[in-house]
Amino acid sequence: MTTGSAAADPPAPARPRPKLTVLPLIALIFYDVSGGPFGIEDSVRAGGGALLPILGFLILPILWSLPEALVTAELASAFPTNAGYVAWVSAAFGPAAAFLVGFSKWASGTLDNALYPVLFLDYLRSSSGAALPPPLRSLAVLALTAALTYLNYRGLHLVGLSALALTAFSLSPFVALTALAIPKIRPSRWLAMDAAAVNLRGYFNSMFWNLNYWDKASTLAGEVEEPRKTFPKAVFGAVGLVVGAYLVPLLAGTGALPSETAAEWTDGFFSEVGQRIGGPWLRVWIQAAAAMSNMGLFEAEMSSDSFQLLGMAEMGMIPAIFARRSKHGTPTFSILCSATGVVMLSFMSFQEIIEFLNFLYGVGMLAVFAAFVKLRAKNPDLARPYRVPVGTAGAAAMCVPPVVLITTVMCLASARTFAVSAAVVAAGVALYYGVEHAKRRAWVEFLAPVPPPPTDSCHGSTAASDDDDVEDVRAGLLDDEPADEASARSRSA
């Protein structure tokens, strides 16, 4: 046995963690974005009938989802790091802008995740008819959040396999629903629209919420097997799955039921559609699928949010504690931070959460599209294993429709949403300067960027330009060195 300090002993080789492959990644992206047709019912009521939501799910995936998916596929293949979109914005605009984007999108994701334990209980209540009193309901939300958080802690590979199984189960009743609806469908019902009943704010918020978050899975790029090849395949596979999961049940339900039922289409109405088309057994099946879908949505969102914090810690943006991994390879403190935010926000109403998270998500996405265009213009030779097959002008033009949509949704927001979002952004600015102050004073441990940027005579100078700083960040992010090894060296230095 060797004597001496433990520091002198060679570290035990780390057990390799299973990486995500194409199918589990498709399932996780599917749950980051959709989770099935649950939640699209409001678009029928807000659209005054079937026509606007059908057009929305035909047109908006092309104008919004596809551009965001293309941007995600290109930049995730160029920056295969858990920092995801934070790394993209950092490479384009520097760490301050990247920190604000990371904070606003983490806040948006935590708001989004606060919905799912509540919705899970709502679907169970609708199937059983028993409502829990407020104290017991709060305890149930807390217990469910704890259980789902523990599953997330046990490993991303397990979460990915669970997401595959949940995807199959969540979509299965809609295969039966569609088959039973076909003889009852009247195509003329798809053209119904009551202009007086149209609620544009509700319609656009519903559509936007159901078609966004394509970039969230980029924060898992560091956990993916051959991310430069796997990520583009998974993104495009998920696009087809999401669009089909929305359109097919929507066409079946609105085509089989009278147009006069448009006002009844609120959250959870698909279970009633199942009752009217197939009977009680189909209603219960859809309710069970909806409840399980909310579990998948929670797991995917929790994974993206927590690994984003891990990636930001590996870049030295937030304290090193957020980069610590459990024996299962999961970021323990990042998961606990995200779970705490979920519990604190779970008291808010469904519509409040959707509007707040849409606005904050929109702020972050404007920066992401701007980073995509800037990197194309200023760094055309950046290694991009997958490249959207358009030039710089085409890349800019591709971003115009989603930017217009984001701006529309943000302009339709209430004064309260503007105030809350402004408060979140202000908190992000204050937190950034607070973190930078803690870093200078060495109050807490921070990791060096992974890997550290090159230190040549130009880049090591205090007079280096902003462009040089951006090149340093980019060089570090694009290095193929494993993050865990570099982090370990940084801690031992």
Side-chain angles (χ1 to χ4, degrees), residues 64-212:
W64 163 251
S65 299
L66 188 58
E68 188 180 352
L70 289 169
V71 168
T72 300
E74 177 170 309
L75 293 182
S77 71
F79 296 84
T81 165
N82 288 326
Y85 38 76
V86 179
W88 313 342
V89 177
S90 180
F93 301 115
F99 184 94
L100 290 177
V101 167
F103 181 74
S104 65
K105 288 174 80 68
W106 178 84
S108 172
T110 305
L111 274 167
D112 187 44
N113 227 12
L115 289 169
Y116 303 126
V118 175
L119 289 176
F120 178 87
L121 293 176
D122 285 346
Y123 277 109
L124 290 184
R125 181 195 63 190
S126 64
S127 61
S128 65
L132 293 174
L136 288 180
R137 180 179 173 82
S138 298
L139 285 175
V141 168
L142 194 62
L144 184 59
T145 300
L148 294 175
T149 299
Y150 178 72
L151 177 61
N152 211 278
Y153 163 80
R154 287 301 304 272
L156 186 60
H157 182 66
L158 179 61
V159 171
L161 293 178
S162 300
L164 265 179
L166 288 170
T167 299
F169 182 75
S170 297
L171 296 181
S172 60
F174 294 99
V175 176
L177 175 71
T178 303
L180 293 172
I182 288 175
K184 304 178 181 181
I185 288 176
R186 303 294 180 267
S188 61
R189 294 169 177 166
W190 295 333
L191 305 177
M193 187 186 75
D194 180 2
V198 173
N199 175 359
L200 286 180
R201 180 194 291 179
Y203 172 76
F204 276 110
N205 270 303
S206 178
M207 297 299 299
F208 189 63
W209 179 60
N210 281 294
L211 289 169
N212 63 18

Side-chain angles (χ1 to χ4, degrees), residues 232-248:
K233 293 178 183 178
V235 167
F236 297 131
V239 169
L241 183 60
V242 167
V243 174
Y246 285 151
L247 265 178
V248 173

Side-chain angles (χ1 to χ4, degrees), residues 317-343:
M317 286 188 172
I318 58 177
I321 192 172
F322 290 101
R324 292 185 184 176
R325 293 180 184 254
S326 69
K327 64 182 180 180
H328 307 292
T330 48
T332 308
F333 290 94
S334 296
I335 289 175
L336 289 175
C337 181
S338 295
T340 301
V342 168
V343 172

Side-chain angles (χ1 to χ4, degrees), residues 252-486:
T254 56
L257 297 184
S259 303
E260 293 74 22
T261 62
E264 300 179 49
W265 284 73
T266 56
D267 295 319
F269 187 69
F270 263 119
S271 62
E272 181 62 27
V273 175
Q275 169 82 28
R276 297 182 189 183
I277 291 177
W281 63 273
L282 187 52
R283 176 191 180 97
V284 172
W285 192 3
I286 290 174
Q287 288 170 337
M292 300 307 291
S293 175
N294 281 295
M295 292 181 62
L297 288 161
F298 184 99
E299 291 301 316
E301 184 68 60
M302 177 69 76
S303 295
S304 299
D305 291 343
S306 57
F307 275 97
Q308 176 200 320
L309 294 181
L310 179 146
M312 292 177 70
E314 289 181 339
M315 291 178 67
M317 286 188 172
I318 58 177
I321 192 172
F322 290 101
R324 292 185 184 176
R325 293 180 184 254
S326 69
K327 64 182 180 180
H328 307 292
T330 48
T332 308
F333 290 94
S334 296
I335 289 175
L336 289 175
C337 181
S338 295
T340 301
V342 168
V343 172
M344 292 174 62
L345 295 169
S346 60
F347 68 90
M348 298 173 64
S349 72
F350 184 84
Q351 290 301 328
E352 279 182 325
I353 288 178
I354 286 182
E355 192 166 316
F356 291 163
L357 71 87
N358 278 348
F359 196 99
L360 290 171
Y361 180 78
V363 170
M365 280 310 302
L366 291 175
V368 167
F369 284 121
F372 173 68
V373 174
K374 181 175 181 180
L375 290 173
R376 274 298 193 96
K378 301 298 184 182
N379 298 83
D381 297 328
L382 179 69
R384 296 171 171 89
Y386 172 79
R387 184 185 180 94
V388 182
V390 294
T392 302
M398 183 184 79
C399 295
V400 171
V403 167
V404 170
L405 176 61
I406 291 171
T407 306
T408 300
V409 171
M410 294 174 74
C411 288
L412 290 171
S414 65
R416 185 180 181 187
T417 297
F418 275 102
V420 169
S421 300
V424 171
V425 173
V429 173
L431 188 59
Y432 172 74
Y433 286 106
V435 168
E436 288 300 300
H437 185 71
K439 188 185 300 184
R440 288 193 298 270
R441 294 297 183 95
W443 287 345
V444 292
E445 180 189 8
F446 287 82
L447 299 179
V450 179
T455 55
D456 58 36
S457 59
C458 174
H459 292 162
S461 169
T462 57
S465 68
D466 290 342
D467 286 343
D468 289 335
D469 292 338
V470 169
E471 288 299 328
D472 284 348
V473 172
R474 186 180 298 108
L477 291 171
L478 288 177
D479 196 291
D480 286 328
E481 183 178 7
D484 288 346
E485 294 176 12

